[in-house]
Amino acid sequence: METSARIKISNDGSLQVPDCPVIPFIEGDGIGPDIWQATRMVINSAVKTAYNSGRKISWLETLAGEKAYQQTGNWLPDETLDTIRAHVVAIKGPLTTPVGKGIRSLNVTIRQVLDLYACVRPVKYIDPVPSPMKRPEKINMVVFRENTEDVYAGIEWQSKSEAAGRVISFLKDEMGISVPSDSGIGIKPISEKNTKRLVARAIAYALENNLESVTLMHKGNIMKFTEGAFNQWGYEVAEERFGDRTITEDELFGTYNGMRPEGKVIIKDRIADMLFQQVLLRPDEYHVIATPNLNGDYLSDALAAQVGGLGMAPGANISDKCAVFEATHGTAPKYAGQDKVNPCSLILSAAMMLDYMGWKEASLLTGRALQTTIQDGTVTYDLARQMTGATEVKCSEFAKRMVNKMEKL
Ligand code: NAP
């Protein structure tokens, strides 16, 4: 086999993945080490089973969170960000946000510094995971949430602060708008550039995966120049960059009699509150959803609950230059070091990473092994408490059973 090498990005944005890529990992805090060990075992086995000795991942530890603080005195060393940038693809466990120590969320910092503008969250039901839905098998969608702006931009001022007072005075004196003098103030920027790059990525994903539709989720009936503009720019970028491969819902019914032409993606839009009830009542009508930051935050977790909760939900934060795959839940500190929790979120995120690298066989194998292990009724505590007749196993044992399955698939 070749010696290890870095993944690179070509000028057209495609990845060049060597047979032995170096992939940085951040173990994470709390339950991070447990789920990371399990994930690493499963992914090494999937790659070996799929490609024999033809491919192998060379893992490279990079530090963040408590481990980084203990070893370097810094919660998020610059070297870690440089390492992720240089290696293009990375994976991370959950990180604690130290409360009350004046430290920003490490997760948010990583996303902002690396400009990871798309938070991608696939939501697919894995039978027989307990679900509150009557027909959970109808859920199969991918949420593309804008990750850098909206009310998450961090532009806000506390009630009665000097800065809030200045903004309130400006609104009154310069704009003729009156707001209560004791208001806290937040700003909601949504830009054309950031909206278009997010929606373009969502449409490209739908085209690559032959998915039926991309839905623009917004609250533009109320917030016309932010969420409404998101919707308008979404349609614009569909026309500008994918005009020959997309149609609107009006065209679907007006021109094509309701039958989607082969190879075309339908672009539609839905008001946010309405979409929340639609994904419960008619989930099979939604395939890719592109949304501003706040809507996306709510929707991703609500959808994760529909297919079994955050312990089962994979995710990634992606820019044009690098991608970080991560468990969507937190550090669950009360279970730290107990080898107890469900590693599926990080394992499924790693499977997403393999797919992103073009290692589809290993990705599919991971998904199949996970499903058959759960079908056998061997699950961690969180699922065992909801499934009758299931056998509860530890985090590491779940991973070992997945590896055994893989060898037989
Ligand atoms: P959390 O760590 O996600 O845990 C909340 C509860 O969710 C757990 O007590 C457990 O429920 C369940 N859970 C989470 N992960 C699980 C898993 N792998 N398997 C089974 N059950 C799981 O949320 P939190 O307690 O609000 O946050 C703790 C810390 O994590 C905070 O410092 C927060 O800032 C951080 N955080 C980090 C990230 C990230 O790194 N991306 C994301 C969110 C939060 P039961 O108690 O019912 O068993």
Side-chain angles (χ1 to χ4, degrees), residues 225-292:
F225 303 123
T226 50
E227 303 247 341
F230 178 94
N231 183 41
Q232 179 198 324
W233 290 323
Y235 279 109
E236 280 176 19
V237 77
E239 176 62 30
E240 288 158 8
R241 294 202 31 202
F242 308 95
D244 55 341
R245 286 171 290 164
T246 56
I247 55 169
T248 62
E249 243 178 351
D250 284 349
E251 288 169 326
L252 175 69
F253 293 106
T255 313
Y256 298 102
N257 207 18
M259 302 291 290
R260 177 174 76 106
E262 182 69 27
K264 300 225 188 213
V265 172
I266 303 159
I267 310 293
K268 50 190 177 184
D269 73 277
R270 296 289 183 271
I271 303 283
D273 39 336
M274 209 278 280
L275 188 59
F276 268 100
Q277 60 105 18
Q278 293 261 300
V279 296
L280 288 167
L281 298 176
R282 303 212 296 270
D284 48 346
E285 291 181 14
Y286 298 94
H287 311 94
V288 173
I289 297 173
T291 165

Side-chain angles (χ1 to χ4, degrees), residues 312-369:
M312 297 301 300
N317 293 297
I318 301 181
S319 78
D320 296 331
K321 300 208 171 106
C322 63
V324 179
F325 295 78
E326 67 172 339
T328 52
H329 55 73
T331 58
K334 68 181 177 185
Y335 297 121
Q338 294 180 26
D339 190 19
K340 182 177 173 79
V341 294
N342 188 345
C344 287
S345 173
L346 194 59
I347 291 174
L348 289 167
S349 303
M352 243 178 117
M353 180 184 84
L354 294 172
D355 189 60
Y356 183 78
M357 288 159 54
W359 291 16
K360 304 217 179 270
E361 301 79 4
S363 173
L364 284 171
L365 194 58
T366 307
R368 286 216 312 277

Side-chain angles (χ1 to χ4, degrees), residues 106-348:
L106 302 179
N107 301 300
V108 173
T109 307
I110 292 172
R111 285 171 210 160
Q112 291 193 341
V113 174
L114 297 175
D115 192 28
L116 302 171
Y117 64 83
C119 175
V120 183
R121 297 266 295 262
V123 193
K124 186 172 183 218
Y125 179 63
I126 298 175
D127 184 44
V129 171
S131 156
M133 300 286 286
K134 280 193 180 147
R135 303 282 307 277
E137 70 283 359
K138 287 186 164 198
I139 302 167
N140 187 2
M141 49 192 116
V142 184
V143 178
F144 282 72
R145 163 188 167 197
E146 207 290 327
N147 229 355
T148 65
E149 52 185 15
D150 197 351
V151 282
Y152 284 60
I155 312 170
E156 54 175 12
W157 298 282
Q158 195 173 8
S159 160
K160 299 178 192 154
S161 65
E162 196 249 330
R166 284 169 62 192
V167 178
I168 290 166
S169 299
F170 171 81
L171 289 173
K172 186 161 178 246
D173 301 341
E174 305 288 328
M175 313 293 284
I177 294 165
S178 182
V179 294
S181 61
D182 57 353
S183 301
I185 302 281
I187 303 274
K188 179 183 174 78
I190 290 197
S191 68
E192 179 174 350
K193 173 175 156 274
N194 289 340
T195 297
K196 286 189 169 176
R197 67 180 179 170
L198 183 273
V199 176
R201 185 169 275 279
I203 296 173
Y205 180 89
L207 285 163
E208 275 160 30
N209 293 282
N210 196 22
L211 300 176
E212 213 175 297
S213 69
V214 173
T215 301
L216 303 164
M217 176 194 194
H218 62 92
K219 192 71 190 156
N221 53 333
I222 305 296
M223 293 169 272
K224 295 183 192 307
F225 303 123
T226 50
E227 303 247 341
F230 178 94
N231 183 41
Q232 179 198 324
W233 290 323
Y235 279 109
E236 280 176 19
V237 77
E239 176 62 30
E240 288 158 8
R241 294 202 31 202
F242 308 95
D244 55 341
R245 286 171 290 164
T246 56
I247 55 169
T248 62
E249 243 178 351
D250 284 349
E251 288 169 326
L252 175 69
F253 293 106
T255 313
Y256 298 102
N257 207 18
M259 302 291 290
R260 177 174 76 106
E262 182 69 27
K264 300 225 188 213
V265 172
I266 303 159
I267 310 293
K268 50 190 177 184
D269 73 277
R270 296 289 183 271
I271 303 283
D273 39 336
M274 209 278 280
L275 188 59
F276 268 100
Q277 60 105 18
Q278 293 261 300
V279 296
L280 288 167
L281 298 176
R282 303 212 296 270
D284 48 346
E285 291 181 14
Y286 298 94
H287 311 94
V288 173
I289 297 173
T291 165
N293 209 335
L294 180 62
N295 297 337
D297 195 0
Y298 296 153
L299 184 74
S300 320
D301 280 15
L303 282 173
Q306 288 178 224
V307 295
L310 289 183
M312 297 301 300
N317 293 297
I318 301 181
S319 78
D320 296 331
K321 300 208 171 106
C322 63
V324 179
F325 295 78
E326 67 172 339
T328 52
H329 55 73
T331 58
K334 68 181 177 185
Y335 297 121
Q338 294 180 26
D339 190 19
K340 182 177 173 79
V341 294
N342 188 345
C344 287
S345 173
L346 194 59
I347 291 174
L348 289 167

